[in-house]
């Protein structure tokens, strides 16, 4: 029961999904569609599980009265508040408190968090990038050309009407040719890896998600 | 954007940007608020977009078979009860198996075959485009050879694989440049938002600066900042 049932569930669910591609039968399609709905529902339950875990972790911190307790109160309070507003009130209306909080708190915070990375990426690049080898020179040149091709100052120095389309043209060429070649190779390698891992999981050769072991 | 919205979003933006000086309570507060709001947002979405329409309303309509999904979902919570925590593997096994099956087909047809198909390009006609296409095909082939680890990469294979590394390096550089620029555009967007009301930004910036100054002094006096 402890090992056989999970493996059987993995195998049946995986095999049915693969089969669905090859068996164009209405009943089969209906079963896989129903199972996919089940999958969506179970994944949605994991959010609630995550919330319970976060709540448990931070509630312990608050109870201990540690120096970080205030932050935990803010985290738990905002999580419960936002979830309650979204669940018990309108979650789509332009004037709903849920959307108001999204626009006022979530949106600026997430944008600023990612904007903050601009400073750290730049400073890390300044410290780490050294043109010591051919590979490093290629990496640096591609990065600089793409950046120059993206900004107006690049077009002002070497405009799109000049030879090779200037910095914007060169950027487009780098993105569409050598970058695409490398990206495609990575994508195809990753696809092969994902396919083989998927088959190993379905066949029960890979059981890390079940806590490992035989 | 109403006045309250402007004050709150500006204050939060400045709290996050204060991290550029160093880690401080204002940043931590905004960071925890962000995590809490994000978690709450996605939980609400999970309820409104998935659990309510696909489970609650379906069961109310008489689709009792959906209760199976609810049972699997509830089994997730058995991990809080050590005696029966092994039951929480069942829903996990189901979801992992299902998505493994979906991904095998999706990656094979959507990525692998499609990418190969897109690389079957004209390498003879159309002047400059043909040259670019030849470079694309060579780049893809050599980069793939770099990922071939079943044979030691020396001799001719080593040379080809090194050309593949060159293409990969250009790809990494281009991705890096693109990422930096997208982050920069976000930073510019935030700066423009801050400039919507210079007075609000000025007052809040002063308040943040005063707080950080006082906090910094306190840290130094207690030796915590060392």
């Amino acid at each position: 029961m402890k090992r056989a049932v999970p493996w059987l569930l993995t195998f049946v669910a995986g095999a049915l999904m693969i089969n669905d591609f090859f068996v164009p039968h209405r009943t089969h399609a209906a079963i896989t569609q129903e199972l996919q709905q089940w999958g969506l529902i179970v994944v949605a339950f994991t959010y609630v599980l995550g919330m319970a875990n976060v709540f448990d972790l931070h509630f312990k911190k608050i109870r201990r009265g540690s120096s970080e307790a205030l932050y935990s109160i803010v985290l738990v309070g905002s999580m419960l508040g936002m979830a309650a507003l979204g669940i018990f009130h309108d979650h789509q209306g332009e004037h709903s408190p849920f959307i108001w909080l999204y626009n006022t708190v979530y949106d600026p915070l997430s944008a600023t968090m990612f904007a903050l990375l601009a400073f750290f990426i730049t400073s890390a690049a300044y410290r780490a990038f050294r043109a010591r080898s051919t590979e490093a020179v290629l990496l640096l040149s591609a990065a600089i050309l793409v950046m120059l091709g993206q900004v107006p100052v690049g077009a002002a120095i070497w405009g799109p009407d000049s030879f090779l389309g200037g910095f914007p043209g060169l950027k487009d060429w780098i993105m569409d040719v050598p970058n695409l070649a490398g990206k495609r190779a990575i994508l195809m390698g990753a696809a092969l890896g994902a396919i083989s891992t998927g088959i190993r999981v379905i066949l029960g050769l890979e059981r890390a998600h079940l806590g490992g072991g035989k | 954007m109403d006045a309250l919205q402007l004050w709150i979003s500006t204050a939060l933006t400045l709290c996050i940007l204060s991290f550029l000086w160093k880690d401080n309570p204002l940043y931590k507060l905004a960071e925890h608020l962000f995590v809490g709001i994000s978690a709450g947002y996605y939980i609400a979405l999970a309820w409104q977009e998935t659990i309510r329409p696909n489970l609650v309303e379906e069961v109310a309509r008489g689709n009792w078979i959906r209760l199976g999904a609810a049972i699997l979902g509830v089994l997730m919570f058995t991990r809080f009860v050590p005696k029966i925590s092994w039951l929480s593997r069942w829903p996990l096994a189901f979801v992992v198996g299902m998505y493994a099956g979906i991904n095998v087909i999706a990656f094979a047809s959507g990525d692998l075959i499609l990418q190969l198909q897109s690389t079957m390009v004209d390498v003879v006609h159309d002047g400059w485009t043909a040259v670019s296409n030849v470079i694309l095909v060579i780049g893809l082939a050599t980069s793939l050879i770099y990922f071939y680890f079943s044979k030691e990469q020396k001799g001719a294979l080593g040379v080809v694989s090194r050309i593949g590394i060159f293409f990969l390096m250009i790809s990494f550089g281009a991705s890096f440049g693109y990422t930096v620029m997208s982050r920069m555009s976000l930073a510019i967007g935030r700066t423009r938002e801050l400039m919507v009301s210079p007075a609000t930004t000025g007052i809040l910036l002063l308040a943040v600066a005063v707080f950080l100054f006082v906090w910094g002094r306190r840290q130094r006096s207690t030796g915590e900042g060392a």
Side-chain angles (χ1 to χ4, degrees), chain B residues 108-140:
Chain B
S109 60
D111 273 1
L112 198 59
I113 304 293
L114 220 63
Q115 294 298 331
L116 268 177
Q117 238 172 12
S118 312
T119 315
M120 301 298 154
V121 283
D122 181 5
V123 291
V124 181
H125 305 99
D126 204 10
W128 177 241
T129 311
V131 175
S132 293
N133 287 346
V134 170
I135 296 172
L136 176 70
V137 173
I138 292 173
L140 176 63

Side-chain angles (χ1 to χ4, degrees), chain A residues 48-66 68-73 75-76 79, chain B residues 32 35 80:
Chain A
V48 186
L49 181 71
M51 182 178 166
N53 266 326
V54 169
F55 190 81
D56 184 47
L57 182 81
H58 286 276
F59 192 69
K60 277 178 193 156
K61 276 189 187 175
I62 295 167
R63 225 176 28 190
R64 271 206 309 268
S66 70
E68 309 269 293
L70 174 70
Y71 306 125
S72 295
I73 292 170
L75 194 152
V76 170
M79 181 177 71
Chain B
H32 281 75
V35 174
F80 291 118

Side-chain angles (χ1 to χ4, degrees), chain B residues 43-64:
Chain B
I43 289 160
L45 275 197
W47 168 260
Q48 295 285 9
E49 308 283 333
T50 310
I51 298 178
R52 193 168 59 91
N54 295 351
L55 178 66
V56 179
E57 286 173 6
E58 282 294 318
V59 171
R61 259 202 292 270
N63 186 1
W64 296 103

Side-chain angles (χ1 to χ4, degrees), chain B residues 8 29 52 56 59 68 84 89 113 155 165 170 196 200 205 220:
Chain B
I8 294 173
L29 201 73
R52 193 168 59 91
V56 179
V59 171
I84 51 165
R89 288 176 182 178
I113 304 293
I165 295 176
I170 294 175
V196 168
T200 309
L205 191 62
R220 268 197 299 276

Side-chain angles (χ1 to χ4, degrees), chain A residues 1-3 5-6 9-10 13-14 17-18 21-22 34-49 51-53 58 68 70-72 74-75 78-79 82-83 86-87 89 91-92 98 100-106 108-122 125 129 134-135 138-139 142-143 146-147 150-151 171 173-189 191-192 194-195 198-199 201-202 209-211, chain B residues 2 4-5 8-9 12-13 16-17 19-20 24-25 27-52 54-55 63 65-66 68-70 72-74 76-77 79-80 86 89-105 107-109 111-112 115-116 118-119 128 132 135-136 139-140 143-144 147 162 165-181 183-184 186-187 190:
Chain A
M1 283 288 270
K2 286 185 185 176
R3 300 204 182 275
V5 175
L9 275 170
T10 305
M17 295 305 142
I18 293 177
F21 185 74
F22 301 103
E34 179 63 27
L35 284 182
Q36 283 179 22
Q37 292 297 326
W38 280 38
L40 285 176
I41 292 166
V42 175
V43 169
F45 269 90
T46 60
Y47 284 104
V48 186
L49 181 71
M51 182 178 166
N53 266 326
H58 286 276
E68 309 269 293
L70 174 70
Y71 306 125
S72 295
V74 168
L75 194 152
S78 56
M79 181 177 71
M82 189 72 172
I87 290 170
H89 284 79
H91 76 294
Q92 281 174 329
F98 183 70
W100 189 87
L101 264 180
Y102 178 88
N103 289 333
T104 313
V105 181
Y106 180 84
L109 276 177
S110 69
T112 316
M113 277 281 185
F114 284 109
L116 202 63
L117 287 181
F119 297 96
F120 292 109
I121 288 180
T122 314
F129 284 2
T134 317
E135 288 90 336
L138 283 171
L139 191 142
V146 166
M147 283 193 264
Q150 286 270 94
V151 288
K171 181 217 73 176
W173 186 82
I174 289 173
M175 294 308 286
D176 292 342
V177 183
N179 168 59
L180 188 64
K183 276 271 156 60
R184 245 176 215 172
I186 294 169
L187 214 63
M188 285 163 73
L192 284 170
I195 292 166
I199 292 170
V201 165
I202 292 166
H209 64 288
L210 300 175
Chain B
D2 57 50
L4 183 63
Q5 242 178 333
I8 294 173
S9 66
L12 291 174
T13 301
I16 295 287
L17 289 178
F19 188 73
L20 289 173
N24 65 77
Y27 171 77
K28 276 186 186 162
L29 201 73
E31 186 191 32
H32 281 75
L33 184 67
F34 178 53
V35 174
I37 289 281
S38 316
Y41 175 73
Y42 287 108
I43 289 160
L45 275 197
W47 168 260
Q48 295 285 9
E49 308 283 333
T50 310
I51 298 178
R52 193 168 59 91
N54 295 351
L55 178 66
N63 186 1
I65 204 155
R66 284 284 161 90
L72 274 181
V74 171
M76 284 269 187
F77 295 90
R79 62 176 56 216
F80 291 118
W86 54 274
R89 288 176 182 178
W90 290 15
L92 203 64
F94 169 75
V95 169
V96 169
M98 193 190 86
Y99 282 109
I102 290 173
N103 280 336
V104 165
I105 298 299
F107 276 111
S109 60
D111 273 1
L112 198 59
Q115 294 298 331
L116 268 177
S118 312
T119 315
W128 177 241
S132 293
I135 296 172
L136 176 70
L140 176 63
S143 302
L144 279 175
F147 290 116
R162 193 161 153 76
I165 295 176
F166 290 162
F167 276 94
L168 287 170
M169 283 300 149
I170 294 175
S171 189
F172 292 144
S175 300
F176 176 80
Y178 228 75
T179 309
V180 169
M181 291 321 292
R183 300 289 185 255
M184 280 296 175
L186 272 175
R190 290 320 300 156

